[in-house]
Amino acid sequence: MARTMEPLAKKIFQGVLVAELMGIFGAYFLLNKMNTSQVFRQTMNKKFPFILEVYYKSIEQSGMYGIREQDQEKWLNSKN
């Protein structure tokens, strides 16, 4: 009975590993895109503001200040 569970356990482990790797690469892509594109941050602000808030808090925690203010200023100026 234990021998038949080994291939199943191995497949489950591989599936979990692949899902985790996809999550890591997805998070890296998202962070990289938000770091380099103010237009993308504006899109995120419209569709997923909670994710943008986490981004702002994380970069402020790392010591980079002013990005939130620059974004808000540009977005306000573009509306007028």
Side-chain angles (χ1 to χ4, degrees):
M1 181 78 175
R3 290 296 269 175
T4 60
M5 292 299 287
E6 284 182 20
L8 178 63
K10 189 174 181 179
K11 286 185 186 237
I12 291 173
F13 176 75
Q14 287 174 345
V16 169
L17 186 64
V18 167
E20 286 184 4
L21 287 173
M22 288 174 57
I24 290 170
F25 285 119
Y28 173 77
F29 171 77
L30 185 65
L31 178 66
N32 188 36
K33 190 76 170 169
M34 288 202 305
N35 270 338
T36 57
S37 174
Q38 193 174 37
V39 174
F40 184 73
R41 287 194 301 267
Q42 186 174 19
T43 302
M44 292 299 288
N45 187 40
K46 291 177 184 174
K47 294 183 179 181
F48 305 105
F50 58 93
I51 294 175
L52 187 62
E53 185 63 27
V54 170
Y55 167 76
Y56 285 143
K57 286 183 180 184
S58 68
I59 60 170
E60 288 168 357
Q61 188 74 23
S62 71
M64 296 172 53
Y65 298 99
I67 294 177
R68 180 193 310 252
E69 292 79 13
Q70 289 174 0
D71 288 347
Q72 290 173 347
E73 183 179 329
K74 182 173 181 181
W75 299 337
L76 277 174
N77 290 338
S78 67
K79 286 183 181 178
N80 295 333

